[in-house]
Amino acid sequence: MKHTARTPSQIGSIIRRIRTDKKMTQTDLAEKVGTVQKKISTIETGQSGARIDTICNIMAALDLDIVITQRDKSTSQNIEDIF
C-alpha cells in the first residue's frame, strides 16, 4: 500500500497505523529499533526532534521503504499542500 506524507504528523500517523496493523506495541517497535518507547511515541505524535536515522530504522523494522517523488502541485485541492 502506498502512503503519502508531507509533515512529521503524517509520517507519525502512518507509522502508528502500520505498527498497529502488525500487532506491535510501541515497546515492541522500540526494542526492534534499539530505542525507547517514548521516542516511538514522540515520532507517532508528530513532535519535533526525530532523527532521520531513527525514522529509517523504524521504517526498516516495519518492512517499509521511503520513496521520494516529485510533487504534482497541479492536482492539489488545498493551497497548503502546494507549499
Side-chain angles (χ1 to χ4, degrees):
M1 178 175 275
K2 186 176 178 179
H3 302 278
T4 300
R6 294 189 176 123
T7 66
S9 179
Q10 291 171 336
I11 292 169
S13 293
I14 293 166
I15 288 170
R16 180 177 43 253
R17 188 174 326 120
I18 292 170
R19 175 185 57 76
T20 58
D21 286 350
K22 291 180 177 272
K23 310 261 189 275
M24 295 175 73
T25 65
Q26 288 181 342
T27 301
D28 294 335
L29 182 56
E31 288 174 0
K32 196 168 184 179
V33 171
T35 190
V36 294
Q37 176 273 328
K38 184 174 182 175
K39 179 55 71 176
I40 301 299
S41 177
T42 298
I43 291 168
E44 287 186 354
T45 56
Q47 297 176 40
S48 63
R51 294 173 44 121
I52 191 69
D53 60 328
T54 304
I55 298 291
C56 289
N57 290 340
I58 289 170
M59 302 299 272
L62 293 173
D63 296 321
L64 301 172
D65 291 322
I66 297 173
V67 178
I68 300 172
T69 61
Q70 185 77 29
R71 185 184 302 180
D72 183 5
K73 294 181 181 182
S74 65
T75 61
S76 178
Q77 298 296 319
N78 296 318
I79 191 72
E80 294 85 10
D81 291 340
I82 295 174
F83 300 103

